[in-house]
C-alpha cells in the first residue's frame, strides 16, 4: 500500500475525525481565509512531519492545533497550487 493510500485511510480514523471537529469548532466553522460558511470545510496541515526513524509521515491527528487550519475547498486548492507545504523531519 502506498503512503498516499495509507494516509487516506487514516482520515477515517476516529482520532482524526475528533481532531478535525475540534479545529472546525475553534475556527467557528468558517474558512479562515475567505470567511465562507455553509460549505464543506477541510482541515489543512500547515506543515507535514516526517519521522525519519520510521520512514513515514506523522499521523494526521498527531499535530499541534496551531499547525491545522480550516479552509474551504477553493482556498485549500488555491493554496496547494501556489505553495508547497513544508516538511519537518523529526
Amino acid at each position: 500500500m502506498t503512503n498516499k493510500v495509507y494516509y487516506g485511510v487514516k482520515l477515517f480514523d476516529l482520532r482524526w475525525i475528533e481532531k478535525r471537529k475540534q479545529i472546525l469548532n475553534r475556527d467557528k466553522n468558517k474558512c479562515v481565509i475567505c470567511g465562507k460558511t455553509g460549505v464543506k470545510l477541510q482541515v489543512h496541515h500547515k506543515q507535514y512531519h516526517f519521522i525519519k526513524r520510521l520512514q513515514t509521515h506523522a499521523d494526521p491527528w498527531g499535530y499541534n492545533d496551531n499547525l491545522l487550519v480550516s479552509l474551504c475547498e477553493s482556498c485549500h486548492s488555491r493554496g496547494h497550487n501556489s505553495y508547497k507545504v513544508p516538511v519537518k523531519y523529526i
Side-chain angles (χ1 to χ4, degrees):
M1 187 178 305
T2 66
N3 280 341
K4 191 172 187 175
V5 172
Y6 185 59
Y7 185 82
V9 170
K10 288 183 176 187
L11 298 180
F12 293 96
D13 188 288
L14 292 177
R15 293 167 287 187
W16 172 245
I17 292 169
E18 184 57 34
K19 180 76 156 189
R20 183 179 180 282
K21 283 181 194 175
Q22 291 172 4
I23 299 304
L24 293 172
N25 285 332
R26 179 201 67 196
D27 295 339
K28 299 178 177 56
N29 290 299
K30 66 180 179 180
C31 176
V32 299
I33 293 177
C34 71
K36 280 185 189 172
T37 61
V39 296
K40 185 175 179 187
L41 296 173
Q42 301 173 352
V43 175
H44 169 69
H45 288 78
K46 293 180 182 179
Q47 70 178 216
Y48 296 123
H49 293 167
F50 188 81
I51 306 166
K52 290 188 278 187
R53 68 180 171 80
L54 300 176
Q55 290 297 296
T56 190
H57 284 90
D59 292 326
W61 54 85
Y63 290 76
N64 290 332
D65 290 357
N66 66 319
L67 294 175
L68 301 169
V69 63
S70 302
L71 300 174
C72 68
E73 185 176 6
S74 177
C75 288
H76 196 191
S77 293
R78 214 172 20 256
H80 274 288
N81 289 334
S82 300
Y83 305 100
K84 184 177 179 187
V85 177
V87 177
K88 180 178 180 179
Y89 294 89
I90 54 176

